[in-house]
Amino acid sequence: MDQNTPPEEFTGDLELDKPETEAAGMSAIVASFEHVLRGTNVSRGWKALANLNQKDGFDCPSCAWPDPDGKRSPIAEYCESGAKAVADEVMTKHTASPVLFQRYSVAELIEKSDLWLGQQGRLTQPLVLRPGATHYVPIDWSEAFDLIADQLNALESPDEAIFYTSGRASNEAAFVYQLFVKMFGTNNLPDCSNMCHESTTVALTDTLGLGKATVTYEDYETADVVMIMGQNPGTTAPRMLTPMEEMKRKGGKIIAVNPLHEAGLLAFKYPQSPRDMLFGGEKLADVFLQVRINSDLALLKAMCKLLIAEEQKAAMAGQPGKVLDLHFIEQYTSGYESFVKSLDHFDLNELAAQCGLTVEQIQQAVDLFKYTPKLIICWAMGLTQHKNGVATISEVINLLLLKGSIGIKGGGASPIRGHSNVQGDRTMGVWEKTKPELLEALERVFQFKPPRENGYDAVASVKAMHEGKGKVFFGLGGNFTMAMSDTNFTAEGLRKCRLTVHVSTKLNRSHLIHGETALILPCLGRTDHDIQASGPQFISCESTTGVVAQSHGILDPVSPHLKSEVAIICELAKATLGEKSTVDWDSLVADYDRIRDLIAQTIKGFDNYNQKVRQPGGFYLPNDPRDRVFKNTSDGKAHFTVNAPTPHELQSDELLLMTIRSHDQFNTTVYKNADRYRGVHNERRVVFMHPDDIASLGLQEKQAVDLHSRYDGETRTAHRFIVVPYDIPRGCTAAYFPETNVLVPIDQMAEKSHTPISKSIVVKVTPTQA
Ligand SMILES: Nc1nc2c(c(=O)[nH]1)N[C@H]1C(S)=C(S)[C@@H](COP(=O)(O)OP(=O)(O)OC[C@H]3O[C@@H](n4cnc5c(=O)[nH]c(N)nc54)[C@H](O)[C@@H]3O)O[C@H]1N2
Ligand SMILES: Nc1nc2c(c(=O)[nH]1)N[C@H]1C(S)=C(S)[C@@H](COP(=O)(O)OP(=O)(O)OC[C@H]3O[C@@H](n4cnc5c(=O)[nH]c(N)nc54)[C@H](O)[C@@H]3O)O[C@H]1N2
Ligand SMILES: [Mo]
């Protein structure tokens, strides 16, 4: 089956409601409880929820938002999204046991929807699909490891193998994984970050010397202004709204920058507050800038121009430095003069027009922070997934540098990471790029010569498979086929592989789009007890603010055949490397403290790891920019950079499409065919359009349409979407991923970071032919 058409359960029973105007609240908590309890027995569900994000419980598998540094509420440390993610993992009503695979061939399974695949429950046994076979069948663990080892060792070069990681892998699993892969001899370690915050990593490393947030949890509560750009916190990081509300109660202000009036940007009702329940929640955004898609760079430039004009006014009034932090700029930064000079090339009215805003609206936002440095700018996929993602994020840093907002209490740069341990995986060395200090440390501690060449990122991996250079694909978690751009091209690449292997908790489409031989290796999830030779084990994760904390599974696994990710990787390493490796892989599996001891010897900031991670709440990793130390940039200073906006020139029948998440999905996992906050029920194949665009294209509400993208002479089509009129700027449109990934060409990616342009695809919308 191609991925351009809807699966057989396509119903077309779309119901539309008014979009919601506030996030969380009692309905959210009820929705989350329902979710957990529906799929499992009651005591299992409650036990899971009671332990979520507690200091002795497990880290939520949903997003990377940090836990409060201080006291934790017994039930408030989870949100609707977290409860759904937990429910998805702990549900036991069904399991994807070998019976399922006996009943359905791979060809039959592939016709099912992503929702249906996920609903089959947890995988219970290792499975193999042999060359030419129609069905997956059970295989012993040891036979599975030998099969993979033989295939890996038969490659002409280790660089013919590709080792993908999704961001749920723990620090312990990620560390042994990258160690194994580098000992095997390659840096082909693409990860979900390549499709996610790579633009952030590139921009922050270049401008500040570290690709991570400069803020702590407390900064959120003490900021005067938080600007939320290109992020939908009510769905994708709902617990972020708790410190936001706290900050607002203290008089702080919020600026929201988004093409959509997302519920979680408008208001927040604290579920445990009787006052909120009676009188309504806290209004969130004080200024809402409803920008056109991908106009943020122009907006930030306009803000910088306005700030400089305000500073000139203040200087004339005898108060230089009232708006800009001239001392900070002088002492800690470089490139200020050329940056300021470059702003002369841009006209304020033109910049505002590019955003679809007026200068007055932008001035309103600037007025909120012109006299305070306590400004946090946070962002997510709305900024990263564009051709100019790196430039836009560099412009965020320009603004923060003007204000001296880096390295102060209540201010800073705050990318909001997606997967719960995506940041930790990078810290552990899961990256296709080599870092000299890590290679040196690996060489010192493990006495081998790690490969020095950079490996393939996600885009390069797909191309390598097409060119016959990538022959084995190994996925530690995730759903690469559906998450990647250009779904059909990616699928074709995977089908060319000799072997595809997935370490997974649940069935997904990537298992069904396979190489000549395919394996599914079922693993323990975050919620599961992990018992090894030395007793119960815990793992650890790093949040978006750089806090490393432990996570303990608390439930009995659904099947005795599951192995931990650590065990799977170490046993594979042992089978593959044999005598070539000096590492005692068995002893690492027996006691994860031994892995943490090795991490402590290898990776900066992890000294006394075992002791520090046992402190309640974990520990903060060192963060130079937070201390105003920029020693890792090219000149030891924080950099102003010159970036030019690149407006999209659209034809009258073209729209700019952003591919976003519904409220009822986690990435490629669909919980429900709905998007409650946006008022969409019983359907996912919808396309949000401005009513005037609907009219001008001769379309109608609820009409079935096809979406076409055309790049380099090639047209890609996603069939049968339903038109939903929505409050979105003209010329802009939105639909959900992963269904729309068929439209994103593999070569369309962000400059420097190679992140697919998932948020700015030029499309045409035409009626579906019956
Ligand atoms: N419940 C739930 N939680 C999740 C996830 C999930 O799928 N479900 N995924 C996790 C992951 S891996 C990630 S990376 C994060 C993603 O978190 P988000 O980035 O918040 O998720 P998206 O749905 O991709 O939303 C992007 C937001 O940016 C806006 N946007 C799009 N284009 C632009 C633009 O050009 N400019 C501006 N200013 N705004 C724009 C969209 O309207 C939308 O509100 O969430 C994490 N948390
Ligand atoms: N068009 C478009 N494409 C996008 C995006 C977009 O906004 N638009 N967003 C991108 C982003 S931000 C990201 S991060 C990627 C996500 O890409 P991925 O991380 O590859 O995808 P997920 O959907 O998060 O992976 C879900 C699968 O992970 C497995 N899994 C869940 N928990 C565990 C676990 O604990 N261990 C193991 N081993 N497996 C587990 C389950 O089998 C599940 O089916 O997608 C990207 N793709
Ligand atoms: Mo992500």
Side-chain angles (χ1 to χ4, degrees), residues 625-647:
R626 197 179 280 159
D627 301 328
R628 296 195 157 180
V629 172
F630 304 104
K631 63 175 191 286
N632 290 321
T633 64
S634 53
D635 60 359
K637 302 236 172 188
H639 289 178
F640 280 96
T641 50
V642 175
N643 314 290
T646 37

Side-chain angles (χ1 to χ4, degrees), residues 65 124 159 266 335 347 500 534 542 586 616 674 699 726 739:
W65 181 253
T124 62
D159 289 330
L266 298 174
D347 176 76
T500 47
S534 71
E542 178 181 337
D586 291 336
L699 302 171
Y726 208 77
E739 290 85 344

Side-chain angles (χ1 to χ4, degrees), residues 329-453:
I329 293 170
E330 166 76 27
Q331 193 173 346
Y332 293 104
T333 72
S334 63
Y336 172 68
E337 282 81 18
S338 36
F339 169 67
V340 173
K341 216 156 147 225
S342 73
L343 290 176
D344 291 343
H345 301 306
F346 301 99
D347 176 76
L348 206 46
N349 289 309
E350 275 173 27
L351 290 171
Q354 272 179 40
C355 307
L357 300 171
T358 61
V359 175
E360 290 67 37
Q361 286 173 300
I362 304 174
Q363 180 72 49
Q364 260 188 355
V366 168
D367 284 344
L368 294 182
F369 59 77
K370 64 183 173 191
Y371 298 138
T372 174
K374 289 189 177 186
L375 164 69
I376 293 178
I377 302 185
C378 55
W379 69 89
M381 297 304 100
L383 295 203
T384 64
Q385 297 175 329
H386 302 282
K387 195 155 227 154
N388 60 356
V390 175
T392 301
I393 295 158
S394 304
E395 201 70 16
V396 166
I397 300 304
N398 285 340
L399 198 159
L400 291 170
L401 294 181
L402 284 179
K403 295 293 307 163
S405 300
I406 303 284
I408 57 159
K409 208 170 166 201
S414 179
I416 308 292
R417 297 273 165 181
H419 266 297
S420 55
N421 199 39
V422 64
Q423 188 161 312
D425 292 346
R426 272 293 165 87
T427 308
M428 291 298 114
V430 170
W431 200 12
E432 77 282 358
K433 298 222 167 55
T434 53
K435 271 174 56 184
E437 70 268 26
L438 176 62
L439 296 186
E440 278 153 30
L442 287 171
E443 194 166 344
R444 171 173 47 78
V445 177
F446 299 99
Q447 275 127 46
F448 76 109
K449 282 243 170 281
R452 302 265 150 184
E453 302 262 295

Side-chain angles (χ1 to χ4, degrees), residues 152-175:
L152 287 174
N153 287 325
L155 294 173
E156 268 173 40
S157 149
D159 289 330
E160 292 179 340
I162 292 164
F163 296 89
Y164 174 68
T165 315
S166 165
R168 259 190 209 175
S170 63
N171 279 358
E172 291 75 6
F175 183 80

Side-chain angles (χ1 to χ4, degrees), residues 192-193 195-197 381 385 416-419 422 661 666-667 737:
C192 67
S193 249
M195 314 166 205
C196 181
H197 264 293
M381 297 304 100
Q385 297 175 329
I416 308 292
R417 297 273 165 181
H419 266 297
V422 64
R661 291 154 170 82
F666 187 90
N667 296 343
F737 112 88

Side-chain angles (χ1 to χ4, degrees), residues 62-63 81 196 229-232 235-236 257-260 262 291-294 296 380-383 386 418-419 658-661 665-667 678 759:
S62 190
C63 74
S81 298
C196 181
M229 304 187 74
Q231 192 214 352
N232 178 19
T235 292
T236 59
V257 182
N258 202 300
L260 304 179
E262 306 283 26
V291 287
R292 292 212 177 108
I293 293 173
N294 198 205
D296 304 80
M381 297 304 100
L383 295 203
H386 302 282
H419 266 297
M658 55 181 181
T659 60
I660 56 177
R661 291 154 170 82
Q665 75 183 83
F666 187 90
N667 296 343
R678 299 195 187 100
K759 297 282 191 278

Side-chain angles (χ1 to χ4, degrees), residues 252-328:
K253 303 285 180 202
I254 292 178
I255 302 165
V257 182
N258 202 300
L260 304 179
H261 284 111
E262 306 283 26
L265 295 170
L266 298 174
F268 173 60
K269 218 183 217 178
Y270 191 56
Q272 273 79 36
S273 153
R275 193 197 69 109
D276 280 10
M277 298 330 296
L278 283 175
F279 303 113
E282 191 79 38
K283 178 173 166 257
L284 285 170
D286 298 273
V287 173
F288 201 111
L289 299 175
Q290 190 177 20
V291 287
R292 292 212 177 108
I293 293 173
N294 198 205
S295 63
D296 304 80
L297 179 43
L299 172 70
L300 289 156
K301 239 178 219 321
M303 286 180 163
C304 291
K305 273 182 88 83
L306 289 170
L307 276 179
I308 286 170
E310 292 287 347
E311 170 64 25
Q312 280 162 352
K313 263 198 258 169
M316 302 249 270
Q319 291 184 299
K322 188 171 179 201
V323 176
L324 306 189
D325 188 339
L326 301 173
H327 171 73
F328 174 83

